[in-house]
Amino acid sequence: MSKTVTINDVARTAGVSITTVSRILNNKPDVSPETRKRVLEAIVQLDYTPHAQAKNLAAGKSRSIAVLYPAHSNGLSELEFEFFVGASTIAAKRGFLFNLFVNTLSEHTLLNLYRSNQIDGVILMEIHLQDERVHLLQENDYPFVMIGHCADNEGLSYIDLDFETSMLVSVDHLYKLGHRHIGLLSMSKALRDAGYGPVVRTGRGYAQACARFGLTPLYYEAPTTIEDAYAATHRMLDEHPEITAMVTLHPDSSVGIVRAVQSRGLSIPQDFSLIGIVIDRIAKLISPPLTAITFPAYLMGERAAQMLIRMLQESEYEPEQELLTPHLIIRDSTGPAR
Amino acid sequence: MSKTVTINDVARTAGVSITTVSRILNNKPDVSPETRKRVLEAIVQLDYTPHAQAKNLAAGKSRSIAVLYPAHSNGLSELEFEFFVGASTIAAKRGFLFNLFVNTLSEHTLLNLYRSNQIDGVILMEIHLQDERVHLLQENDYPFVMIGHCADNEGLSYIDLDFETSMLVSVDHLYKLGHRHIGLLSMSKALRDAGYGPVVRTGRGYAQACARFGLTPLYYEAPTTIEDAYAATHRMLDEHPEITAMVTLHPDSSVGIVRAVQSRGLSIPQDFSLIGIVIDRIAKLISPPLTAITFPAYLMGERAAQMLIRMLQESEYEPEQELLTPHLIIRDSTGPAR
DNA sequence: TTGTATGCGTTATCAC
DNA sequence: GTGATAACGCATACAA
């Protein structure tokens, strides 16, 4: 932890003013080749590194972005990790620090992040249709983007998976395989009541799909644990033994469903089909490998970070809204209805 | 993005000097109750927030820590995510920003993080027995802790799972179930050659266990993908049909093994037993639910952050080295040898 | 082409 | 008790 070498030291060593050094550091014009050479030599000789903090203070920026992911609210899954890695990669490329907040922040704390100049902008995750954080940041005119989107997205930037279409695609696939009784096991009622985007939108998509194909909606919900999904599946099949296929939103739910179905002596996909909305890595881990709507989390993290950084850097930034087309990957959990 | 309210504004409004305001903000003594009251009112009235950047510049610190996780080197898994969440939680509690770097940093970039005052310390992950990053930071006397540990840890702080004992515990469990031909499917040869801690140490533990129980070592290695593990398992069972149990280090490898074993008409755990070193969440996701050495990643992330922050804050910090006792959780992938 | 002076928002030293 | 004033390390208008 040697003493910091400052621009002053460089200036003195090179026999110039700090202004000149600053010019050279920032590639400004109007510097004679000789002085530039002399300064660069001094920089190398002293092994000088600009002090990012001081730079940012002078510039009135922080050159760091943050992602807000309330991890403890909803149970961890692997999805978020890929978001982070994608976003962090872009941030690093653009010279931004990437901060991770995994705890729910109070309004005060969230605003303070901006006001204390610790971050320039945030990526919001786990978006609800009516999201307090969004209102708060919008009112205060602080830069942010969302992974997910609200009911009203006027003027906002976001990237999201098209969950409604995801359900249409899923039901379509199952319908074409001959299934006529297709259930949806969604997430918890609490999340639906709270207006959690993916839950609400898959619900809508499912309703639309049922209407389109003339199917009776069989909508169930359960917390996203293996055990809860297991129990819920048994309930579903007790109440509706005609069900031959299901769709679900979470890896743990998928596994619960698989186990419940198998415990009834049915095999997948011979007797029963299942589609999940799950990242590829996990879909492949499950047995049988899950036919799934790919969740391109890494890409979404990248895009979110790109949007945010552009928002921060471009004076005439126009909001970007991106709804990704769902892509169904057929593996071993779906087959023709018997 | 309203104009920043500074300590100056507060001072003016309260009719005092900025020194006095600063005193009050930092709970220094020697302030009359009346002025304190007046200043506090001004703070509330103006909705003032201290400027973290300026504070840190004056203090010569950054109040932020970072975790270095070279995500792209070794394939993503879920382990790391829990490290991050644990570490980030502690950082937030202690008032530190938590930065995430998922790309391999050059020596220069790594040192610059410190020298440019962007971070006060880092948590190093994916530690190798001889780790350049460790040497580099040690030479420069920059604060860091490791998740994992080196060959020589003199003066270093770390938290790690005791991988050697993990293997002893695993083999012991299998031995007691009557298994006499127990294989280890490790990670890639490249990782072993590079001296990647978990690979080397599990290898050692396995060798010790075999010696202790009088077993013939059956050590194989494969990249940690389902496909590679699948192929490797077939190779193992072709060459050593006597194998009735295996241990492995990665979720994907576990799944590959399960599928290979089952493809040979064997069932788990009736005909074949398997133990993984895998976080609980994933062990439960796999079918059959995996008997596993729990990987307490969340806890390890917490501990690493605690160590680092103490190192940063305590003048007389003594290195802490913590090797966690492995804990075997028996699920459905192990049973008596036939 | 180069340098001087001032500001960024805070803390700390030292007077008063 | 309180208040100037000088750091912290850099950028930048304005002079020269």
Side-chain angles (χ1 to χ4, degrees), chain B residues 11-318:
Chain B
R12 202 174 325 110
T13 308
V16 297
S17 76
I18 59 171
T19 309
T20 303
V21 179
S22 179
R23 278 207 190 84
I24 292 170
L25 288 172
N26 297 290
N27 296 313
K28 299 274 164 102
D30 297 338
V31 270
S32 82
E34 305 100 70
T35 37
R36 156 163 283 128
K37 181 158 170 289
R38 208 142 34 92
V39 169
L40 289 178
E41 282 172 2
I43 289 177
V44 171
Q45 181 195 328
L46 297 176
D47 199 12
Y48 164 75
T49 306
H51 195 284
Q53 243 174 21
K55 240 169 128 150
N56 291 332
L57 176 61
K61 322 207 156 170
S62 73
R63 278 200 86 79
S64 66
I65 61 175
V67 59
L68 260 56
Y69 171 65
H72 302 281
S73 68
N74 197 5
L76 298 180
S77 84
E78 300 69 29
L79 210 51
E80 294 73 26
F81 184 41
E82 296 201 0
F83 287 130
F84 300 162
V85 176
S88 172
T89 300
I90 293 296
K93 276 192 190 150
R94 300 277 190 285
F96 276 73
L97 252 37
F98 179 79
N99 291 292
L100 179 57
F101 291 88
V102 297
N103 298 286
T104 304
L105 302 184
S106 69
E107 294 202 356
H108 183 71
T109 311
L110 176 51
L111 290 182
N112 264 15
L113 245 37
Y114 289 90
R115 302 179 51 206
S116 66
N117 236 271
Q118 304 201 83
I119 53 131
D120 292 338
V122 306
I123 298 172
L124 251 35
M125 293 178 60
E126 306 284 291
I127 302 292
H128 292 61
L129 294 198
Q130 301 295 335
D131 204 298
E132 307 165 17
R133 302 167 300 169
V134 171
H135 298 317
L136 189 67
L137 295 181
Q138 213 169 5
E139 279 169 14
N140 288 273
D141 203 19
Y142 287 136
F144 71 98
V145 302
M146 303 180 283
I147 294 181
H149 64 297
C150 299
D152 175 14
N153 302 283
E154 176 76 29
L156 301 179
S157 291
Y158 67 81
I159 174 109
D160 201 2
L161 180 60
D162 184 344
F163 285 98
E164 294 201 27
T165 306
S166 295
M167 287 307 295
L168 290 172
V169 169
S170 299
V171 173
D172 178 75
H173 175 66
L174 293 169
Y175 188 87
K176 285 188 177 139
L177 284 170
H179 296 278
R180 293 298 176 266
H181 302 277
I182 302 170
L184 168 60
L185 179 57
S186 188
M187 304 174 91
S188 70
K189 178 173 186 310
L191 285 174
R192 175 164 57 84
D193 289 344
Y196 181 53
V199 170
V200 175
R201 296 207 171 83
T202 48
R204 279 189 207 146
Y206 176 68
Q208 286 172 30
C210 288
R212 174 178 306 177
F213 295 104
L215 309 176
T216 307
L218 300 161
Y219 182 94
Y220 281 71
E221 47 199 3
T224 50
T225 71
I226 297 177
E227 294 74 19
D228 287 309
Y230 184 90
T233 303
H234 276 304
R235 251 189 346 264
M236 288 178 77
L237 296 179
D238 287 344
E239 298 174 7
H240 295 282
E242 70 275 19
I243 294 178
T244 60
M246 278 172 64
V247 186
T248 192
L249 315 183
H250 193 274
D252 291 16
S253 303
S254 307
V255 171
I257 294 172
V258 167
R259 297 209 175 128
V261 167
Q262 289 173 343
S263 79
R264 296 171 89 100
L266 303 172
S267 0
I268 298 174
Q270 290 79 5
D271 308 311
F272 197 94
S273 288
L274 175 62
I275 295 180
I277 300 183
V278 176
I279 55 173
D280 284 343
R281 204 186 111 53
I282 298 298
K284 289 194 263 190
L285 222 53
I286 293 174
S287 295
L290 220 57
T291 294
I293 298 285
T294 296
F295 210 120
Y298 184 88
L299 171 75
M300 290 170 72
E302 285 189 324
R303 285 294 293 128
Q306 283 166 351
M307 286 181 185
L308 182 57
I309 291 175
R310 288 190 47 194
M311 182 183 298
L312 259 22
Q313 297 189 317
E314 298 181 7
S315 47
E316 292 303 314
Y317 179 80
E318 288 297 317

Side-chain angles (χ1 to χ4, degrees), chain A residues 13 35 46 56 68 77 126 134 137 154 163 168 188 211 220 226 230 235 237 243 263 295 308 315 318 322:
Chain A
T13 307
T35 38
L46 297 176
N56 289 332
L68 261 54
S77 83
E126 305 285 291
V134 171
L137 294 181
E154 177 76 30
F163 284 98
L168 290 172
S188 71
Y220 282 70
I226 297 177
Y230 184 89
R235 251 188 348 263
L237 296 180
I243 295 178
S263 78
F295 209 121
L308 182 57
S315 48
E318 289 295 318
E322 208 166 321

Side-chain angles (χ1 to χ4, degrees), chain A residues 205-235:
Chain A
Y206 177 67
Q208 287 172 30
C210 288
R212 174 179 306 175
F213 294 105
L215 308 177
T216 308
L218 300 161
Y219 182 92
Y220 282 70
E221 47 199 3
T224 50
T225 71
I226 297 177
E227 295 74 19
D228 287 309
Y230 184 89
T233 304
H234 276 303
R235 251 188 348 263

